[in-house]
mmCIF file of all heavy atoms in Angstrom:
data_model
loop_
_atom_site.group_PDB
_atom_site.id
_atom_site.type_symbol
_atom_site.label_atom_id
_atom_site.label_comp_id
_atom_site.label_asym_id
_atom_site.label_seq_id
_atom_site.Cartn_x
_atom_site.Cartn_y
_atom_site.Cartn_z
ATOM 1 N N TYR A 1 -35.475 -74.727 -29.286
ATOM 2 C CA TYR A 1 -34.721 -74.336 -28.091
ATOM 3 C C TYR A 1 -35.578 -74.177 -26.842
ATOM 4 O O TYR A 1 -35.055 -73.930 -25.758
ATOM 5 C CB TYR A 1 -33.953 -73.039 -28.375
ATOM 6 C CG TYR A 1 -33.009 -73.179 -29.539
ATOM 7 C CD1 TYR A 1 -33.342 -72.671 -30.797
ATOM 8 C CD2 TYR A 1 -31.797 -73.846 -29.404
ATOM 9 C CE1 TYR A 1 -32.479 -72.819 -31.877
ATOM 10 C CE2 TYR A 1 -30.942 -73.995 -30.474
ATOM 11 C CZ TYR A 1 -31.286 -73.482 -31.716
ATOM 12 O OH TYR A 1 -30.436 -73.639 -32.783
ATOM 13 N N GLY A 2 -36.882 -74.311 -26.985
ATOM 14 C CA GLY A 2 -37.751 -74.216 -25.825
ATOM 15 C C GLY A 2 -38.321 -72.827 -25.607
ATOM 16 O O GLY A 2 -37.983 -71.871 -26.297
ATOM 17 N N SER A 3 -39.164 -72.707 -24.624
ATOM 18 C CA SER A 3 -39.868 -71.464 -24.325
ATOM 19 C C SER A 3 -38.903 -70.343 -23.960
ATOM 20 O O SER A 3 -37.868 -70.569 -23.331
ATOM 21 C CB SER A 3 -40.841 -71.689 -23.166
ATOM 22 O OG SER A 3 -41.368 -70.477 -22.695
ATOM 23 N N ARG A 4 -39.284 -69.129 -24.309
ATOM 24 C CA ARG A 4 -38.449 -67.969 -23.980
ATOM 25 C C ARG A 4 -38.748 -67.408 -22.597
ATOM 26 O O ARG A 4 -38.129 -66.413 -22.186
ATOM 27 C CB ARG A 4 -38.605 -66.868 -25.034
ATOM 28 C CG ARG A 4 -39.963 -66.206 -25.062
ATOM 29 C CD ARG A 4 -40.033 -65.043 -26.021
ATOM 30 N NE ARG A 4 -39.882 -65.428 -27.410
ATOM 31 C CZ ARG A 4 -40.122 -64.635 -28.442
ATOM 32 N NH1 ARG A 4 -40.527 -63.390 -28.224
ATOM 33 N NH2 ARG A 4 -39.972 -65.045 -29.684
ATOM 34 N N ILE A 5 -39.700 -68.008 -21.864
ATOM 35 C CA ILE A 5 -40.050 -67.443 -20.558
ATOM 36 C C ILE A 5 -39.616 -68.364 -19.412
ATOM 37 O O ILE A 5 -40.183 -68.327 -18.329
ATOM 38 C CB ILE A 5 -41.551 -67.133 -20.460
ATOM 39 C CG1 ILE A 5 -42.397 -68.401 -20.651
ATOM 40 C CG2 ILE A 5 -41.951 -66.073 -21.463
ATOM 41 C CD1 ILE A 5 -43.875 -68.180 -20.364
ATOM 42 N N THR A 6 -38.584 -69.160 -19.647
ATOM 43 C CA THR A 6 -38.037 -70.033 -18.598
ATOM 44 C C THR A 6 -36.847 -69.361 -17.918
ATOM 45 O O THR A 6 -36.284 -68.382 -18.424
ATOM 46 C CB THR A 6 -37.581 -71.362 -19.200
ATOM 47 O OG1 THR A 6 -36.532 -71.096 -20.145
ATOM 48 C CG2 THR A 6 -38.729 -72.069 -19.903
ATOM 49 N N ASP A 7 -36.426 -69.924 -16.793
ATOM 50 C CA ASP A 7 -35.226 -69.426 -16.117
ATOM 51 C C ASP A 7 -34.007 -69.529 -17.032
ATOM 52 O O ASP A 7 -33.137 -68.650 -17.039
ATOM 53 C CB ASP A 7 -34.965 -70.221 -14.834
ATOM 54 C CG ASP A 7 -35.942 -69.868 -13.727
ATOM 55 O OD1 ASP A 7 -36.734 -68.927 -13.910
ATOM 56 O OD2 ASP A 7 -35.909 -70.537 -12.681
ATOM 57 N N SER A 8 -33.924 -70.616 -17.801
ATOM 58 C CA SER A 8 -32.770 -70.812 -18.688
ATOM 59 C C SER A 8 -32.706 -69.742 -19.762
ATOM 60 O O SER A 8 -31.639 -69.184 -20.064
ATOM 61 C CB SER A 8 -32.834 -72.197 -19.340
ATOM 62 O OG SER A 8 -32.720 -73.211 -18.365
ATOM 63 N N ALA A 9 -33.859 -69.431 -20.382
ATOM 64 C CA ALA A 9 -33.896 -68.415 -21.429
ATOM 65 C C ALA A 9 -33.565 -67.040 -20.858
ATOM 66 O O ALA A 9 -32.815 -66.257 -21.462
ATOM 67 C CB ALA A 9 -35.259 -68.401 -22.107
ATOM 68 N N LEU A 10 -34.115 -66.741 -19.677
ATOM 69 C CA LEU A 10 -33.816 -65.458 -19.046
ATOM 70 C C LEU A 10 -32.342 -65.358 -18.665
ATOM 71 O O LEU A 10 -31.728 -64.301 -18.798
ATOM 72 C CB LEU A 10 -34.692 -65.273 -17.816
ATOM 73 C CG LEU A 10 -36.079 -64.686 -18.103
ATOM 74 C CD1 LEU A 10 -37.058 -65.023 -17.009
ATOM 75 C CD2 LEU A 10 -35.974 -63.174 -18.279
ATOM 76 N N ALA A 11 -31.771 -66.464 -18.213
ATOM 77 C CA ALA A 11 -30.357 -66.451 -17.852
ATOM 78 C C ALA A 11 -29.482 -66.143 -19.062
ATOM 79 O O ALA A 11 -28.521 -65.369 -18.968
ATOM 80 C CB ALA A 11 -29.964 -67.801 -17.253
ATOM 81 N N LYS A 12 -29.824 -66.733 -20.196
ATOM 82 C CA LYS A 12 -29.011 -66.474 -21.386
ATOM 83 C C LYS A 12 -29.177 -65.034 -21.863
ATOM 84 O O LYS A 12 -28.196 -64.362 -22.197
ATOM 85 C CB LYS A 12 -29.361 -67.438 -22.512
ATOM 86 C CG LYS A 12 -28.630 -67.088 -23.807
ATOM 87 C CD LYS A 12 -28.221 -68.261 -24.630
ATOM 88 C CE LYS A 12 -27.291 -67.816 -25.756
ATOM 89 N NZ LYS A 12 -26.867 -68.917 -26.625
ATOM 90 N N THR A 13 -30.420 -64.544 -21.909
ATOM 91 C CA THR A 13 -30.623 -63.170 -22.372
ATOM 92 C C THR A 13 -29.916 -62.185 -21.450
ATOM 93 O O THR A 13 -29.313 -61.212 -21.911
ATOM 94 C CB THR A 13 -32.120 -62.812 -22.448
ATOM 95 O OG1 THR A 13 -32.740 -63.038 -21.184
ATOM 96 C CG2 THR A 13 -32.822 -63.636 -23.516
ATOM 97 N N ARG A 14 -29.985 -62.435 -20.142
ATOM 98 C CA ARG A 14 -29.302 -61.546 -19.194
ATOM 99 C C ARG A 14 -27.783 -61.603 -19.358
ATOM 100 O O ARG A 14 -27.107 -60.577 -19.290
ATOM 101 C CB ARG A 14 -29.663 -61.931 -17.760
ATOM 102 C CG ARG A 14 -30.977 -61.379 -17.268
ATOM 103 C CD ARG A 14 -30.894 -59.894 -17.015
ATOM 104 N NE ARG A 14 -32.165 -59.371 -16.514
ATOM 105 C CZ ARG A 14 -32.459 -58.082 -16.486
ATOM 106 N NH1 ARG A 14 -31.603 -57.181 -16.939
ATOM 107 N NH2 ARG A 14 -33.607 -57.663 -16.027
ATOM 108 N N SER A 15 -27.240 -62.787 -19.584
ATOM 109 C CA SER A 15 -25.787 -62.904 -19.699
ATOM 110 C C SER A 15 -25.273 -62.196 -20.949
ATOM 111 O O SER A 15 -24.244 -61.508 -20.910
ATOM 112 C CB SER A 15 -25.363 -64.371 -19.708
ATOM 113 O OG SER A 15 -25.870 -65.054 -20.836
ATOM 114 N N VAL A 16 -25.991 -62.338 -22.061
ATOM 115 C CA VAL A 16 -25.583 -61.658 -23.295
ATOM 116 C C VAL A 16 -25.690 -60.145 -23.118
ATOM 117 O O VAL A 16 -24.759 -59.394 -23.442
ATOM 118 C CB VAL A 16 -26.448 -62.136 -24.476
ATOM 119 C CG1 VAL A 16 -26.207 -61.268 -25.714
ATOM 120 C CG2 VAL A 16 -26.161 -63.595 -24.803
ATOM 121 N N GLN A 17 -26.827 -59.700 -22.579
ATOM 122 C CA GLN A 17 -27.037 -58.260 -22.415
ATOM 123 C C GLN A 17 -26.034 -57.651 -21.446
ATOM 124 O O GLN A 17 -25.489 -56.571 -21.680
ATOM 125 C CB GLN A 17 -28.474 -58.006 -21.930
ATOM 126 C CG GLN A 17 -28.842 -56.531 -21.819
ATOM 127 C CD GLN A 17 -28.794 -56.013 -20.409
ATOM 128 O OE1 GLN A 17 -28.709 -56.787 -19.449
ATOM 129 N NE2 GLN A 17 -28.827 -54.705 -20.258
ATOM 130 N N THR A 18 -25.755 -58.347 -20.340
ATOM 131 C CA THR A 18 -24.828 -57.816 -19.349
ATOM 132 C C THR A 18 -23.412 -57.701 -19.911
ATOM 133 O O THR A 18 -22.729 -56.687 -19.707
ATOM 134 C CB THR A 18 -24.813 -58.715 -18.096
ATOM 135 O OG1 THR A 18 -26.121 -58.720 -17.513
ATOM 136 C CG2 THR A 18 -23.809 -58.211 -17.073
ATOM 137 N N PHE A 19 -22.969 -58.711 -20.639
ATOM 138 C CA PHE A 19 -21.625 -58.674 -21.221
ATOM 139 C C PHE A 19 -21.472 -57.487 -22.169
ATOM 140 O O PHE A 19 -20.513 -56.707 -22.071
ATOM 141 C CB PHE A 19 -21.341 -59.972 -21.984
ATOM 142 C CG PHE A 19 -20.149 -59.879 -22.900
ATOM 143 C CD1 PHE A 19 -18.855 -59.869 -22.394
ATOM 144 C CD2 PHE A 19 -20.315 -59.775 -24.276
ATOM 145 C CE1 PHE A 19 -17.757 -59.766 -23.232
ATOM 146 C CE2 PHE A 19 -19.221 -59.667 -25.121
ATOM 147 C CZ PHE A 19 -17.941 -59.666 -24.601
ATOM 148 N N ILE A 20 -22.427 -57.324 -23.076
ATOM 149 C CA ILE A 20 -22.303 -56.267 -24.089
ATOM 150 C C ILE A 20 -22.515 -54.888 -23.462
ATOM 151 O O ILE A 20 -21.806 -53.929 -23.791
ATOM 152 C CB ILE A 20 -23.299 -56.497 -25.237
ATOM 153 C CG1 ILE A 20 -23.124 -57.894 -25.831
ATOM 154 C CG2 ILE A 20 -23.102 -55.460 -26.341
ATOM 155 C CD1 ILE A 20 -24.182 -58.261 -26.856
ATOM 156 N N ALA A 21 -23.491 -54.783 -22.549
ATOM 157 C CA ALA A 21 -23.778 -53.482 -21.942
ATOM 158 C C ALA A 21 -22.649 -53.003 -21.042
ATOM 159 O O ALA A 21 -22.452 -51.796 -20.865
ATOM 160 C CB ALA A 21 -25.084 -53.556 -21.148
ATOM 161 N N ARG A 22 -21.890 -53.917 -20.458
ATOM 162 C CA ARG A 22 -20.715 -53.524 -19.673
ATOM 163 C C ARG A 22 -19.563 -53.090 -20.582
ATOM 164 O O ARG A 22 -18.889 -52.092 -20.327
ATOM 165 C CB ARG A 22 -20.235 -54.691 -18.817
ATOM 166 C CG ARG A 22 -20.969 -54.896 -17.516
ATOM 167 C CD ARG A 22 -20.240 -55.943 -16.687
ATOM 168 N NE ARG A 22 -20.971 -56.281 -15.485
ATOM 169 C CZ ARG A 22 -20.949 -55.560 -14.372
ATOM 170 N NH1 ARG A 22 -20.245 -54.449 -14.325
ATOM 171 N NH2 ARG A 22 -21.632 -55.951 -13.310
ATOM 172 N N ALA A 23 -19.323 -53.860 -21.626
ATOM 173 C CA ALA A 23 -18.174 -53.602 -22.496
ATOM 174 C C ALA A 23 -18.324 -52.302 -23.277
ATOM 175 O O ALA A 23 -17.337 -51.595 -23.513
ATOM 176 C CB ALA A 23 -17.993 -54.774 -23.462
ATOM 177 N N THR A 24 -19.564 -51.972 -23.672
ATOM 178 C CA THR A 24 -19.780 -50.815 -24.552
ATOM 179 C C THR A 24 -19.294 -49.499 -23.956
ATOM 180 O O THR A 24 -18.472 -48.807 -24.573
ATOM 181 C CB THR A 24 -21.260 -50.738 -24.961
ATOM 182 O OG1 THR A 24 -21.607 -51.906 -25.719
ATOM 183 C CG2 THR A 24 -21.536 -49.500 -25.800
ATOM 184 N N PRO A 25 -19.752 -49.072 -22.779
ATOM 185 C CA PRO A 25 -19.271 -47.791 -22.247
ATOM 186 C C PRO A 25 -17.787 -47.807 -21.889
ATOM 187 O O PRO A 25 -17.105 -46.790 -22.015
ATOM 188 C CB PRO A 25 -20.148 -47.562 -21.006
ATOM 189 C CG PRO A 25 -20.630 -48.914 -20.621
ATOM 190 C CD PRO A 25 -20.762 -49.680 -21.898
ATOM 191 N N GLU A 26 -17.284 -48.943 -21.449
ATOM 192 C CA GLU A 26 -15.866 -49.028 -21.095
ATOM 193 C C GLU A 26 -14.983 -48.811 -22.317
ATOM 194 O O GLU A 26 -13.985 -48.079 -22.261
ATOM 195 C CB GLU A 26 -15.581 -50.385 -20.453
ATOM 196 C CG GLU A 26 -16.231 -50.568 -19.089
ATOM 197 C CD GLU A 26 -16.129 -51.987 -18.563
ATOM 198 O OE1 GLU A 26 -15.520 -52.827 -19.270
ATOM 199 O OE2 GLU A 26 -16.643 -52.256 -17.464
ATOM 200 N N LEU A 27 -15.325 -49.434 -23.420
ATOM 201 C CA LEU A 27 -14.530 -49.283 -24.648
ATOM 202 C C LEU A 27 -14.655 -47.879 -25.228
ATOM 203 O O LEU A 27 -13.667 -47.300 -25.689
ATOM 204 C CB LEU A 27 -14.968 -50.323 -25.678
ATOM 205 C CG LEU A 27 -14.525 -51.760 -25.388
ATOM 206 C CD1 LEU A 27 -15.263 -52.736 -26.300
ATOM 207 C CD2 LEU A 27 -13.016 -51.907 -25.568
ATOM 208 N N ILE A 28 -15.872 -47.341 -25.215
ATOM 209 C CA ILE A 28 -16.057 -45.996 -25.769
ATOM 210 C C ILE A 28 -15.282 -44.968 -24.953
ATOM 211 O O ILE A 28 -14.660 -44.051 -25.508
ATOM 212 C CB ILE A 28 -17.557 -45.652 -25.842
ATOM 213 C CG1 ILE A 28 -18.248 -46.552 -26.876
ATOM 214 C CG2 ILE A 28 -17.762 -44.182 -26.207
ATOM 215 C CD1 ILE A 28 -19.745 -46.379 -26.955
ATOM 216 N N LEU A 29 -15.276 -45.110 -23.637
ATOM 217 C CA LEU A 29 -14.508 -44.189 -22.790
ATOM 218 C C LEU A 29 -13.019 -44.294 -23.093
ATOM 219 O O LEU A 29 -12.332 -43.270 -23.232
ATOM 220 C CB LEU A 29 -14.781 -44.495 -21.315
ATOM 221 C CG LEU A 29 -13.944 -43.699 -20.306
ATOM 222 C CD1 LEU A 29 -14.181 -42.202 -20.474
ATOM 223 C CD2 LEU A 29 -14.277 -44.142 -18.879
ATOM 224 N N ARG A 30 -12.508 -45.496 -23.209
ATOM 225 C CA ARG A 30 -11.084 -45.665 -23.521
ATOM 226 C C ARG A 30 -10.759 -45.098 -24.898
ATOM 227 O O ARG A 30 -9.685 -44.528 -25.123
ATOM 228 C CB ARG A 30 -10.709 -47.145 -23.451
ATOM 229 C CG ARG A 30 -10.633 -47.698 -22.034
ATOM 230 C CD ARG A 30 -10.488 -49.200 -22.039
ATOM 231 N NE ARG A 30 -9.310 -49.620 -22.811
ATOM 232 C CZ ARG A 30 -9.124 -50.858 -23.266
ATOM 233 N NH1 ARG A 30 -10.044 -51.801 -23.037
ATOM 234 N NH2 ARG A 30 -8.037 -51.162 -23.934
ATOM 235 N N GLY A 31 -11.689 -45.244 -25.828
ATOM 236 C CA GLY A 31 -11.455 -44.734 -27.181
ATOM 237 C C GLY A 31 -11.308 -43.228 -27.231
ATOM 238 O O GLY A 31 -10.605 -42.699 -28.096
ATOM 239 N N MET A 32 -11.958 -42.549 -26.285
ATOM 240 C CA MET A 32 -11.864 -41.093 -26.273
ATOM 241 C C MET A 32 -10.429 -40.625 -26.019
ATOM 242 O O MET A 32 -10.036 -39.538 -26.443
ATOM 243 C CB MET A 32 -12.815 -40.512 -25.226
ATOM 244 C CG MET A 32 -12.968 -38.998 -25.319
ATOM 245 S SD MET A 32 -14.211 -38.322 -24.199
ATOM 246 C CE MET A 32 -15.729 -38.826 -25.009
ATOM 247 N N GLU A 33 -9.632 -41.445 -25.342
ATOM 248 C CA GLU A 33 -8.241 -41.075 -25.094
ATOM 249 C C GLU A 33 -7.476 -40.850 -26.396
ATOM 250 O O GLU A 33 -6.549 -40.029 -26.456
ATOM 251 C CB GLU A 33 -7.564 -42.178 -24.285
ATOM 252 C CG GLU A 33 -8.150 -42.408 -22.908
ATOM 253 C CD GLU A 33 -7.483 -43.575 -22.201
ATOM 254 O OE1 GLU A 33 -6.382 -43.998 -22.623
ATOM 255 O OE2 GLU A 33 -8.061 -44.068 -21.212
ATOM 256 N N PHE A 34 -7.842 -41.578 -27.443
ATOM 257 C CA PHE A 34 -7.124 -41.474 -28.715
ATOM 258 C C PHE A 34 -7.575 -40.260 -29.531
ATOM 259 O O PHE A 34 -6.935 -39.901 -30.519
ATOM 260 C CB PHE A 34 -7.315 -42.756 -29.538
ATOM 261 C CG PHE A 34 -6.732 -43.968 -28.870
ATOM 262 C CD1 PHE A 34 -7.515 -44.778 -28.062
ATOM 263 C CD2 PHE A 34 -5.392 -44.292 -29.015
ATOM 264 C CE1 PHE A 34 -6.983 -45.890 -27.429
ATOM 265 C CE2 PHE A 34 -4.845 -45.402 -28.386
ATOM 266 C CZ PHE A 34 -5.639 -46.205 -27.584
#
């Protein structure tokens, strides 16, 4: 898949991390309602 220190690799790691890190607190907060 190529080097992990390229713009492409950083873009993918950031996109995965951003998606999960945003969803986690939002879901946990909503879960507290139940």
